[in-house]
Amino acid sequence: MKRKWGSAFVVSMAAACLVSACGQGNNSGTDNAAGGASKEKVTIRFTWWGDPVRNKVYNGVISQFEKKYPNIDVKAEPTSWADYWTKLSTQIAGGNAPDVIGMHQFYVSDYAERGALLNLEPYVKSGVINLKDFPQAVTDSGKVNGSLDMIAQGVTMSGQIYNETLFKQLGVQPPTMNWTWDDFINEATAVKKAFIAKGEGKDHWGADDESGAMEPVFEYFLRERGKDLFTTDGKLGFTKQDLEDWFAMWAKLRKDGVVPDAATEAQYTGVAPEQTLFAKGKVGITAIPANQLYLYQTAMPDAKVRLVGEPRMKNGRNGEFVEGAYLAIPKSSQHPKEAAEFINFFINDVGAGKIFKLEQGSPGSTKIDSVIKPLLSPPQQSEMDFISNRLKLASTAPKPPKGYNQIAADFTNAAQAVAYGKVSISQGAQQFFEQVNSLLGQ
Amino acid sequence: MGGTTLKPLHEVQKRTDLAARRYVILRTMSLKARTRNGQSSMAGYLFLTPWLVGLLGLTALPMIASLYLSFTNYDMINRPRWIGIGNYVKMFQDPQYLMSVKVTLTYVLLNVPIHLVVALLIALLLHKGIRGLHIYRAVYYVPSLFGGSVAISLLWKQIFGGGGLVSNLLEHLFGLQNVNLIDSPQTALYTLIILAIWQFGSPMIIFLAGLQQIPVELHEAATIDGASTSKRFFRITLPLLTPFIFFNLVMQIISSFQAFTPAYIVSDGSGGPLNSTLFYTLYLYQTGFSNFQMGYASAMAWVLLIAIAIISAFLFATSKKWVFYSE
């Protein structure tokens, strides 16, 4: 026992020195007096994806944690979504990834299947991480091949938002919660026609072109047909015909000018919420994860933004599936226990919940859920109502195989090739299947 | 009184000190030769050490490592496994890779000649001896300083994108609607070539230096003999500039093959639209860092290195035929 503490001391000392620059031991005396579990100060690094607004929220949670655990310093290393995954893969390769990393269900396989993530089950068993208030489905959504590799920070569902103010101005009947693809086409077409009547048809459209969005919109489309993007053994779960039908639907809308031309859509893909066509009032409908509703509402102070489900198929199945953001610990972490303590605090502490609220969707813990409910702003409340409403219809979708990034890029490329008119619909579908099959066949 | 006695002592001390240091240095490096030559080259190496450590640690070692990795299936997380020349074979069956080669060659073939011609023309203009030459020189050099930066790439995206400056100009002048040069696969690459050409500053400065070295007498003599301006340019200026053209050509070709930042920023790292700006280095980066195929990416890096080496060697070989050194 003594020996163990001795080595723990040496390791944490060395790491603390390496990470936090030795000269800064200014407040270690007072911290010792406060008396944490372990006497030496440990620094853990934490990375997540986010913009400055989101970073403020995360930093708030971190400072709460540091108050409660004076012996643990958390070094924040946020990165924008665009650079997050390349930076993380490099850090993992170098063995210097942060101790706690933001994880995503689409990307987790790339790390988990290559054995880069720590199985968190032992920490749950020993009680460091408490998942008692987590519904089983939410816990399970963090498992990869049966190993609990990540813990949900928040659960979200996809939907379509529409600009209610704009719909009123244009005199178009707004969409309903359980609308169908036919409704979607009719609504978007009506918005476009109203824009044309106002003389704004040139650079205003009904809806965004989602043909390149393999996740989540195409996944919904497939699930409604009783299929999935991927099978549980990591193959494509749909046929070329499915993809051709998908491309054909959007091609018609594009031809009619209901969705923007390929170049305009490309220009506004991947920009911040306030710079989107939707926020600029140039399209009436767009797809978002529900937890981003308040970002759009904040970016559009003069408009009322509302959320409805992803369009459904008439007499089809439920497309809904659980999405979310997660926390994980890489195997390279020198302080897995402290990292696990941090994750536990993040998901269970009431103070943390009150700060974090719905940043990444509804909290995994039902207890935190009920604590924060009264504290939410109106857009956040409708976010939460939407998520709990859709969760009832949802199941988990099979996780993508490794190489997800490339598959998603190939999908977008095929959709764009069709949108730019470079290839026919069947050629585009053919191209995607060839690329992915050669990738997965390796 | 004290000063006069101390001074020689001081000098003696200094001398012995230096000798001692030199001795220690020589011993530790176990250098046998005691000639003046040997000593000074040793000191040279010592001064080189900081740079040498950088070269070996940050360039040579990673290069050797990447050569090894290029024969493996290294995925950045698991240990690399030897797969022989598999990566090199795969390259030529990979349509994305071939696309990136095509994009890069187009870029090099258009950028390098236009770049050099523009730089030379501006240098000729500035060489005319305009008032405030140094100001113009500085002004024209400025784009080269930050042309390759992220900020300028973002600016480019605004200028050439839909609703940007160029789009509005085309609409007002020619009535063309919704022109979006950045996000159209036919034109995206050309906006990047324009961006590169705009950074003509550094070859321009080199050409300017070259022009100033050409003896005025030659031009005067030719003028007296009745040679026209164009004749003087092609018979005197251009031949005497060939060493500078050669240098600029080699440098431009190398840097064009390695272009990365503008494409990365303008296309958000995707090489889009439709891979039309998928530069070689960008695809290499995606392969290694997004798709976890570091072994394959290393192989691509080596093919690029060898390609540039061959092209440079070819240029050097032909240079004897067309580069004239006046002295």
Side-chain angles (χ1 to χ4, degrees):
Chain A
M1 190 64 196
K2 203 176 172 189
R3 211 182 200 177
K4 204 174 153 195
W5 279 113
S7 59
F9 172 79
V10 171
V11 168
S12 57
M13 222 7 222
C17 267
L18 278 174
V19 177
S20 67
C22 272
Q24 288 188 334
N26 48 1
N27 51 5
S28 59
T30 52
D31 289 341
N32 283 349
S38 139
K39 287 212 165 126
E40 276 317 312
K41 194 148 192 153
V42 165
T43 300
I44 58 172
R45 291 153 63 219
F46 174 32
T47 185
W48 67 88
W49 60 85
D51 56 334
V53 181
R54 170 170 286 176
N55 296 348
K56 241 187 239 166
V57 176
Y58 274 80
N59 287 329
V61 174
I62 290 173
S63 65
Q64 287 276 319
F65 175 77
E66 286 176 335
K67 260 184 220 149
K68 204 160 177 180
Y69 292 81
N71 61 320
I72 305 177
D73 251 343
V74 179
K75 193 162 166 265
E77 300 182 3
T79 307
S80 71
W81 172 261
D83 299 317
Y84 186 79
W85 299 103
T86 46
K87 187 175 170 191
L88 183 61
S89 63
T90 314
Q91 287 180 320
I92 296 256
N96 61 347
D99 301 277
V100 180
I101 51 184
M103 218 354 110
H104 193 280
Q105 62 198 6
F106 299 159
Y107 293 86
V108 69
S109 302
D110 269 329
Y111 296 90
E113 287 185 15
R114 293 186 171 95
L117 301 181
L118 199 65
N119 182 3
L120 301 174
E121 201 72 62
Y123 294 97
V124 176
K125 283 214 175 92
S126 68
V128 177
I129 297 176
N130 174 8
L131 295 180
K132 287 195 184 91
D133 298 320
F134 269 54
Q136 194 58 40
V138 176
T139 303
D140 287 348
S141 70
K143 287 184 179 168
V144 181
N145 301 330
S147 158
L148 184 66
D149 286 342
M150 54 180 191
I151 309 274
Q153 289 172 280
V155 177
T156 191
M157 303 287 298
S158 282
Q160 301 265 348
I161 44 171
Y162 68 95
N163 183 338
E164 192 182 45
T165 315
L166 184 69
F167 270 69
K168 271 193 186 139
Q169 281 168 5
L170 297 175
V172 179
Q173 195 69 27
T176 54
M177 193 57 150
N178 290 317
W179 60 341
T180 62
W181 282 107
D182 288 340
D183 296 335
F184 170 81
I185 291 165
N186 292 335
E187 292 277 356
T189 310
V191 172
K192 175 72 181 189
K193 275 187 182 146
F195 273 134
I196 293 172
K198 268 178 78 183
E200 296 178 336
K202 186 183 69 124
D203 55 356
H204 287 66
W205 300 271
D208 261 317
D209 182 346
E210 308 285 351
S211 64
M214 183 174 81
E215 302 263 22
V217 195
F218 180 57
E219 169 88 306
Y220 270 82
F221 182 82
L222 288 175
R223 288 167 64 83
E224 288 159 4
R225 294 182 160 203
K227 295 175 182 175
D228 252 308
L229 257 187
F230 301 102
T231 59
T232 41
D233 59 346
K235 298 268 183 297
L236 286 181
F238 57 97
T239 63
K240 215 177 290 170
Q241 187 60 49
D242 295 319
L243 187 54
E244 285 178 13
D245 293 348
W246 171 254
F247 283 160
M249 177 176 82
W250 291 104
K252 170 93 176 27
L253 289 169
R254 200 175 302 115
K255 196 175 131 257
D256 297 345
V258 175
V259 299
D261 55 282
T264 305
E265 197 61 58
Q267 183 179 3
Y268 289 96
T269 300
V271 299
E274 69 273 13
Q275 293 165 343
T276 52
L277 287 170
F278 183 80
K280 293 181 178 200
K282 291 194 168 192
V283 300
I285 307 166
T286 195
I288 62 158
N291 58 309
Q292 288 185 4
L293 175 66
Y294 92 100
L295 288 179
Y296 282 86
Q297 187 59 76
T298 312
M300 305 166 69
D302 300 332
K304 181 93 191 80
V305 174
R306 287 203 182 273
L307 193 53
V308 292
E310 291 289 354
R312 310 173 71 80
M313 193 158 295
K314 219 175 249 170
N315 305 322
R317 300 181 185 215
N318 291 332
E320 281 70 14
F321 62 97
V322 183
E323 294 172 68
Y326 297 77
L327 294 174
I329 303 176
K331 275 188 183 156
S332 60
S333 170
Q334 300 291 319
H335 306 291
K337 184 168 168 285
E338 285 80 5
E341 279 174 341
F342 179 67
I343 291 180
N344 185 57
F345 179 87
F346 211 111
I347 57 172
N348 285 318
D349 186 85
V350 172
K354 282 181 179 169
I355 294 171
F356 200 65
K357 290 188 186 132
L358 300 181
E359 190 59 39
Q360 295 283 15
S362 277
S365 156
T366 48
K367 197 180 109 199
I368 300 297
D369 219 282
S370 55
V371 168
I372 64 167
K373 209 161 203 171
L375 307 171
L376 300 176
S377 66
Q380 287 174 321
Q381 250 156 20
S382 45
E383 258 176 61
M384 199 157 183
D385 290 342
F386 176 84
I387 293 168
S388 54
N389 173 306
R390 293 287 106 172
L391 264 177
K392 284 178 211 141
L393 310 171
S395 50
T396 44
K399 292 227 161 40
K402 55 183 182 182
Y404 170 79
N405 217 358
Q406 204 171 350
I407 299 171
D410 287 343
F411 189 90
T412 307
N413 252 329
Q416 280 192 340
V418 174
Y420 281 110
K422 288 273 174 186
V423 297
S424 71
I425 286 168
S426 69
Q427 282 169 330
Q430 177 71 20
Q431 174 192 324
F432 174 75
F433 270 80
E434 275 169 14
Q435 283 168 339
V436 173
N437 285 335
S438 86
L439 179 77
L440 294 179
Q442 281 163 15
Chain B
M1 187 181 73
T4 46
T5 48
L6 268 176
K7 209 177 180 183
L9 242 179
H10 227 61
E11 266 174 17
V12 169
Q13 225 170 3
K14 211 179 190 176
R15 220 173 281 162
T16 45
D17 224 38
L18 267 176
R21 263 189 225 163
R22 209 173 277 164
Y23 180 67
V24 168
I25 290 169
L26 292 178
R27 279 301 295 253
T28 46
M29 307 305 284
S30 71
L31 190 87
K32 296 255 162 62
R34 298 272 164 107
T35 60
R36 275 209 92 77
N37 259 341
Q39 282 174 22
S40 62
S41 73
M42 200 59 236
Y45 284 124
L46 277 173
F47 277 116
L48 269 179
T49 338
W51 174 82
L52 207 61
V53 167
L55 175 78
L56 292 176
L58 299 175
T59 308
L61 270 180
M63 272 183 78
I64 294 166
S66 86
L67 181 60
Y68 164 68
L69 290 176
S70 74
F71 293 102
T72 69
N73 69 343
Y74 184 48
D75 70 354
M76 301 229 281
I77 293 169
N78 294 304
R79 297 195 148 275
R81 190 168 51 82
W82 186 267
I83 53 166
I85 57 164
N87 286 326
Y88 292 90
V89 174
K90 179 173 156 190
M91 232 174 263
F92 297 96
Q93 297 156 352
D94 175 358
Q96 292 266 96
Y97 174 81
L98 297 175
M99 180 72 187
S100 78
V101 170
K102 191 183 139 200
V103 167
T104 308
L105 284 179
T106 314
Y107 179 76
V108 172
L109 287 176
L110 286 173
N111 176 36
V112 174
I114 302 178
H115 202 128
L116 292 186
V117 168
V118 169
L120 181 57
L121 287 178
I122 308 266
L124 284 169
L125 276 178
L126 291 184
H127 186 57
K128 289 269 182 239
I130 334 163
R131 197 182 293 172
L133 168 68
H134 56 286
I135 295 174
Y136 286 106
R137 208 162 46 194
V139 166
Y140 284 122
Y141 190 71
V142 166
S144 303
L145 289 178
F146 39 62
S149 72
V150 171
I152 293 297
S153 303
L154 286 172
L155 180 72
W156 224 249
K157 208 170 157 176
Q158 291 296 317
I159 291 177
F160 287 93
L165 184 69
V166 171
S167 171
N168 282 328
L169 267 178
L170 290 174
E171 183 164 347
H172 282 113
L173 295 178
F174 306 105
L176 299 168
Q177 290 198 344
N178 286 339
V179 179
N180 187 338
L181 298 172
I182 287 269
D183 295 291
S184 300
Q186 297 88 347
T187 50
L189 182 61
Y190 301 101
T191 64
L192 294 184
I193 291 174
I194 295 172
L195 172 60
I197 291 166
W198 180 58
Q199 304 162 50
F200 54 77
S202 71
M204 173 200 80
I205 292 282
I206 292 165
F207 279 138
L208 207 50
L211 287 171
Q212 276 158 5
Q213 280 183 23
I214 296 172
V216 191
E217 305 91 77
L218 289 178
H219 280 288
E220 279 171 356
T223 317
I224 289 166
D225 289 344
S228 66
T229 322
S230 69
K231 208 148 212 165
R232 276 187 289 132
F233 175 75
F234 285 109
R235 292 296 164 94
I236 299 172
T237 312
L238 213 51
L240 288 176
L241 264 188
T242 46
F244 299 89
I245 295 175
F246 177 60
F247 174 80
N248 278 334
L249 182 66
V250 173
M251 297 310 284
Q252 284 302 320
I253 286 181
I254 293 175
S255 69
S256 297
F257 268 110
Q258 295 174 340
F260 176 81
T261 316
Y264 180 79
I265 302 297
V266 166
S267 73
D268 290 318
S270 72
L274 277 190
N275 295 334
S276 61
T277 62
L278 188 69
F279 283 177
Y280 195 100
T281 50
L282 185 54
Y283 184 50
L284 189 157
Y285 174 82
Q286 284 180 0
T287 307
F289 294 97
S290 305
N291 300 341
F292 294 85
Q293 296 176 314
M294 198 47 93
Y296 187 31
S298 300
M300 283 162 55
W302 275 90
V303 169
L304 178 63
L305 178 76
I306 291 163
I308 291 179
I310 290 173
I311 292 169
S312 303
F314 174 75
L315 286 175
F316 272 95
T318 58
S319 71
K320 287 179 197 118
K321 298 222 168 107
W322 61 273
V323 177
F324 303 104
Y325 295 96
S326 48
E327 292 152 54

